[in-house]
Amino acid sequence: MGKPRLDWGALAAKRDAYVARLNGIYTRNLDNAGVTHVEGLARFVAPREVEVAGARYSADHVLIAVGGRPATPPIPGAEHCISSDGFFDLKAQPEKALVVGAGYIAVELAGILQALGSSVS
C-alpha cells in the first residue's frame, strides 16, 4: 500500500462550499431576525446612530463588523508570501512552509499543513 495522497483541489472546493453554506445560514438567520444589513464605511455620528455613504441609520443596537484583513510586512522577500486568504488559492500542497503569526488562524494553518505532510517552520 502506498502513501496516502491528498487531492488539494477537492479539499479547496469542499472548503469553499462549506464557507458558502455557512454564509448563507448566517444571512438567512439575520434576515429572519429583521436585521438591516448595510455594507460600506461606517462611523458613529451620535449615540446609536451611524452614517454609511451619507445615509444615517439608528437603532437600539448597532453592530459594526470591521472585517479585518491580514497585512504583509514590508520586508525583503514579502513578494513570495501569501496571507491566510490565499491559502486555498495554492494550486498544490507546498512541500515546505514557513508560517508567521501567533493568531489562531496561523496556528491552525500550520497544524493543517503539518498533518498533511508539509514541512512546517
Side-chain angles (χ1 to χ4, degrees), residues 106-121:
V107 172
E108 285 180 351
L109 290 180
I112 290 168
L113 287 168
Q114 179 74 32
L116 293 175
S118 296
S119 174
V120 180
S121 298

Side-chain angles (χ1 to χ4, degrees), residues 21-100:
R21 184 179 74 79
L22 283 180
N23 285 339
I25 291 168
Y26 297 146
T27 298
R28 193 169 39 259
N29 287 345
L30 291 171
D31 289 345
N32 289 341
V35 172
T36 301
H37 176 235
V38 179
E39 288 190 35
L41 184 62
R43 68 184 185 101
F44 281 97
V45 293
R48 296 183 302 275
E49 185 175 359
V50 294
E51 182 178 273
V52 181
R56 290 187 176 212
Y57 302 89
S58 63
D60 291 336
H61 304 282
V62 177
L63 168 71
I64 296 180
V66 298
R69 301 272 188 254
T72 303
I75 58 173
E79 68 274 10
H80 303 293
C81 299
I82 63 168
S83 70
S84 57
D85 291 343
F87 179 72
F88 282 99
D89 290 336
L90 295 170
K91 300 299 180 208
Q93 179 182 347
E95 290 181 31
K96 295 181 180 181
L98 170 65
V99 178
V100 178

